[in-house]
């Protein structure tokens, strides 16, 4: 099996050393580089071709948010998992909107960080439904009317079935759960999710969840 290629980005050398130590022993993972600031990320990604970037949010010159936004513009962009000390932080939310696949807390047990990297490399977000709801509730404070209008305009591009799938994704359900609820195969659910991502120009399921929340579809008033 080809190992998952991982790039570590954190301005604290002790944090980088700790991450390298605890993750370097995994047989299915290879640390291909380290960076101390977001300004180094694009060049390192070009040179090392990681599958996943484990990205600190707060860095002195270019923070993880700006680095994530820059990476999103690449067609072959690696998945990004942001590192934070907060459960629900506005910068984390902005990173998710910019295309990050999820986040892990810096005090997360090593085994769980490893599992998060594996899941993201496999195309799965690393946000539990509980954490997703926390972030969505945190987001509700700024400019809700404008955000809702914009979100509903975008959601209008979906057909009825795609809309149902999008709402189920927003509720934190897995593909298997959506298949059971909507009486379709898991393969069909995956096809719908892929079409939703393409139609709405989104990067991952987390962004679908955020958009359905913004549109008011998770409040019982969007049907």
């Amino acid at each position: 099996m080809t190992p998952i290629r991982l790039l570590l980005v954190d301005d604290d050398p002790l944090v980088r050393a700790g991450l390298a130590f605890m993750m370097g022993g995994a047989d299915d993972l290879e640390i291909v580089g380290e960076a101390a600031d977001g300004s180094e990320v694009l060049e390192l990604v070009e040179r090392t071709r990681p599958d996943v970037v484990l990205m600190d949010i707060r860095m002195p010159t270019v923070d993880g948010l700006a680095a994530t936004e820059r990476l999103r513009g690449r067609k072959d962009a690696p998945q990004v998992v942001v590192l934070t000390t907060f459960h629900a932080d506005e910068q984390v939310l902005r990173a998710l909107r910019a295309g990050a696949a999820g986040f892990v807390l810096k005090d997360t047990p090593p085994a769980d960080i490893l599992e998060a990297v594996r899941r993201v490399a496999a195309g799965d977000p690393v946000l539990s439904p509980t954490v997703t709801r926390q972030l969505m509730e945190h987001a509700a404070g700024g400019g809700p009317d404008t955000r809702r209008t914009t979100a509903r305009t975008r959601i209008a591009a979906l057909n009825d079935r795609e809309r149902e799938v999008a709402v189920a994704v927003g509720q934190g359900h897995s593909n298997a759960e959506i298949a059971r609820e909507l009486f379709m195969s898991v393969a069909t659910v995956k096809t719908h999710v892929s079409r939703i991502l393409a139609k709405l120009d989104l990067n991952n399921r987390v962004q679908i969840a955020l958009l359905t929340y913004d549109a008011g579809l998770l409040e019982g008033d969007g049907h």
Side-chain angles (χ1 to χ4, degrees):
M1 179 183 296
T2 302
I4 299 164
R5 298 173 62 81
L6 178 67
L7 176 64
L8 303 177
V9 184
D10 196 295
D11 64 324
D12 188 334
L14 290 178
V15 171
R16 293 200 310 275
L19 288 169
F21 177 76
M22 72 183 185
M23 306 185 82
D27 293 336
D28 61 341
L29 193 147
E30 177 186 359
I31 298 174
V32 296
E34 298 182 18
D37 191 82
S39 60
E40 305 170 26
V41 169
L42 284 179
E43 187 274 331
L44 268 176
V45 165
E46 184 68 29
R47 182 156 49 87
T48 64
R49 302 290 181 178
D51 301 304
V52 179
V53 178
L54 200 53
M55 179 97 72
D56 187 21
I57 284 289
R58 291 175 173 84
M59 291 179 286
T61 305
V62 176
D63 65 20
L65 172 62
T68 298
E69 290 173 337
R70 292 174 185 178
L71 279 178
R72 187 190 178 196
R74 295 171 52 98
K75 291 184 178 180
D76 56 348
Q79 297 286 357
V80 176
V81 178
V82 295
L83 284 165
T84 181
T85 54
F86 299 97
H87 283 273
D89 179 271
E90 180 63 26
Q91 285 187 303
V92 174
L93 181 74
R94 289 173 61 197
L96 295 175
R97 292 189 188 281
F103 77 87
V104 293
L105 300 176
K106 287 192 174 182
D107 60 358
T108 299
D112 291 344
I113 295 181
L114 274 170
E115 183 59 25
V117 170
R118 290 175 179 130
R119 284 180 56 189
V120 166
D124 296 325
V126 295
L127 291 178
S128 69
T130 299
V131 174
T132 302
R133 283 194 295 272
Q134 283 182 316
L135 285 167
M136 290 174 179
E137 288 164 5
H138 183 73
D145 293 337
T146 300
R147 191 168 57 242
R148 176 161 296 192
T149 299
T150 300
R152 287 189 169 181
T153 299
R154 295 182 68 189
I155 289 288
L158 304 180
N159 62 38
D160 289 344
R161 202 56 161 165
E162 290 165 347
R163 180 185 170 113
E164 289 178 328
V165 172
V167 170
V169 170
Q171 292 168 337
H173 298 317
S174 67
N175 287 342
E177 291 168 337
I178 296 171
R180 287 194 297 270
E181 291 173 8
L182 299 182
F183 304 102
M184 62 178 71
S185 69
V186 172
T188 301
V189 173
K190 291 180 178 178
T191 297
H192 281 307
V193 170
S194 295
R195 287 175 179 167
I196 292 166
L197 292 171
K199 280 188 176 183
L200 302 182
D201 191 27
L202 300 175
N203 290 52
N204 53 50
R205 295 167 72 98
V206 175
Q207 290 186 326
I208 295 175
L210 292 170
L211 189 65
T212 57
Y213 178 83
D214 286 347
L217 299 182
L218 305 185
E219 302 172 2
D221 64 351
H223 295 284

